[in-house]
Amino acid sequence: MPLTELFPVVSQLSHQDKLRLIHFLLLAVAKEEGYELQPTETQAQENLLLEQLEATEAVVWSP
């Protein structure tokens, strides 16, 4: 599948799924480069972190 076909699909993913995709791609690229990155967190801890990220609000201050 060409990358141009993936962009619209990726843009429709939820925030949590986009983070999972980033994680998957990071592990895949590291493995191709000869590094074996092992996730150190359990699935429950990962889900907690993703939920915290989803609940985070950004505050922008402007003069």
Side-chain angles (χ1 to χ4, degrees):
M1 176 181 283
L3 191 58
T4 55
E5 291 180 24
L6 286 176
F7 287 143
V9 175
V10 170
S11 68
Q12 294 176 357
L13 293 175
S14 70
H15 182 76
Q16 186 173 12
D17 285 340
K18 286 177 185 172
L19 291 173
R20 286 188 177 135
L21 177 60
I22 291 168
H23 183 246
F24 170 81
L25 291 173
L26 174 65
L27 292 177
V29 170
K31 188 173 184 178
E32 289 174 5
E33 294 292 324
Y35 298 100
E36 196 64 36
L37 298 178
Q38 295 296 325
T40 57
E41 296 180 296
T42 64
Q43 186 67 33
Q45 290 171 329
E46 178 183 329
N47 287 338
L48 177 62
L49 177 60
L50 290 172
E51 288 171 12
Q52 289 172 343
L53 285 171
E54 282 185 54
T56 301
E57 294 184 23
V59 177
V60 178
W61 291 91
S62 178

